[in-house]
Amino acid sequence: MPLSAIDLLDYAGVAVFAATGALAASRKQLDIIGFLFLASVTGIGGGTLRDVILNLPVFWVGNSGYVLICAAVAVLVFFIAHRVESRWKWLLWLDAIGLAAFSVMGAAKGLAITGSPVVSVIMGVLTATFGGILRDLLAGEPSVLLRPEIYVSAALAGAGLYTLGDLIELPPVASDLAGFVAAFLVRGGALKFGWTFPSYKSRPGRRPEDIP
C-alpha cells in the first residue's frame, strides 16, 4: 500500500529527530546502545507522551516501522557522525521542518480525540518538543527549554494556528498548511536571525528599613 504524503512526512520527522538524538550520543562518545536509546527517545518520545495522555494505543506499538527507523538512523549516525556534525546547521533546519510537522500532527490528533482546542494545542506542543527535552535531559546537555532562541514557542504557534483554522472551519489542508508554515517560520527566524523573547531581569529586593 503506497504511503501518503502525511505518512512520509511523519516518518521523515521521526528520522530527523532520531538523528539529533544520535548526534547527542556522539558528542557524549557513547556506545551503539547509547546511540539507539537516545535516537529512539528523541524520535518517538513526544508522540508516545501524547498517546499516553490521550489514553490511546501508543503509535509505535502498532507500527514498529517507527522504531526501526530510529534504529537505522542511530546505526548510520554511529558510523558517519563526524561527517554529519560538520553539517549541523543543515540538520537544525531539517529539525525545524520536523517540529513544524509534528506540531500540526499532534494538534490534529488531540483535537480529533477530545474536541478541545486547549488540549489540541497542548498535544501539538508536546508531540513536537518532548522528545528533544528528553534527549537533552538524558544527554546532560542544555535543555531546549533553557536556550535563548525560540523553540517551544514555534510549536505553540503551529499548533495554535492549526487549531484556530479548524475552529473557523477552514479546509483541513489550509489549517494544516497554516500551522506548518507558522511553526517553521518562527523556528526558522530563530535560527536565521537569533530571535528570542526578552528574558527576566532580577530586581534588587527592598532593604529592611524601607518596609513600613
Side-chain angles (χ1 to χ4, degrees):
M1 180 179 177
L3 295 174
S4 67
I6 295 296
D7 291 331
L8 290 174
L9 193 59
D10 195 16
Y11 284 127
V14 168
V16 170
F17 283 155
T20 66
L23 286 172
S26 76
R27 290 191 290 274
K28 296 299 178 181
Q29 299 184 342
L30 302 182
D31 60 18
I32 187 62
I33 301 302
F35 274 69
L36 290 167
F37 181 70
L38 281 180
S40 298
V41 164
T42 310
I44 62 179
T48 299
L49 178 64
R50 174 201 64 215
D51 289 349
V52 169
I53 292 175
L54 293 176
N55 198 28
L56 296 172
V58 177
F59 70 103
W60 54 264
V61 174
N63 183 354
S64 58
Y66 292 101
V67 178
L68 294 177
I69 287 173
C70 292
V73 169
V75 172
L76 180 63
V77 174
F78 183 79
F79 290 105
I80 66 167
H82 61 291
R83 296 181 180 275
V84 179
E85 284 283 8
S86 65
R87 295 168 175 79
W88 176 247
K89 288 185 177 179
W90 288 102
L91 196 63
L92 286 177
W93 282 99
L94 292 174
D95 178 80
I97 294 174
L99 179 140
F102 279 16
S103 68
V104 172
M105 292 176 184
K109 197 166 189 178
L111 192 61
I113 296 300
T114 68
S116 166
V118 174
V119 173
S120 172
V121 173
I122 292 173
M123 290 302 104
V125 172
L126 288 179
T127 304
T129 64
F130 189 68
I133 293 171
L134 281 178
R135 174 199 63 216
D136 295 341
L137 178 66
L138 293 170
E141 297 191 333
S143 172
V144 295
L145 294 175
L146 302 179
R147 295 175 192 168
E149 77 272 12
I150 293 173
Y151 187 84
V152 176
S153 299
L156 179 62
L161 199 56
Y162 164 82
T163 303
L164 178 62
D166 186 86
L167 288 176
I168 63 176
E169 299 183 347
L170 289 179
V173 174
S175 297
D176 293 344
L177 188 60
F180 178 89
V181 170
F184 181 74
L185 288 180
V186 172
R187 179 57 180 155
L191 292 174
K192 180 70 173 178
F193 304 110
W195 289 350
T196 62
F197 286 119
S199 58
Y200 173 77
K201 303 296 183 182
S202 62
R203 297 173 175 81
R206 290 191 296 174
R207 297 174 300 174
E209 57 267 29
D210 293 334
I211 301 175

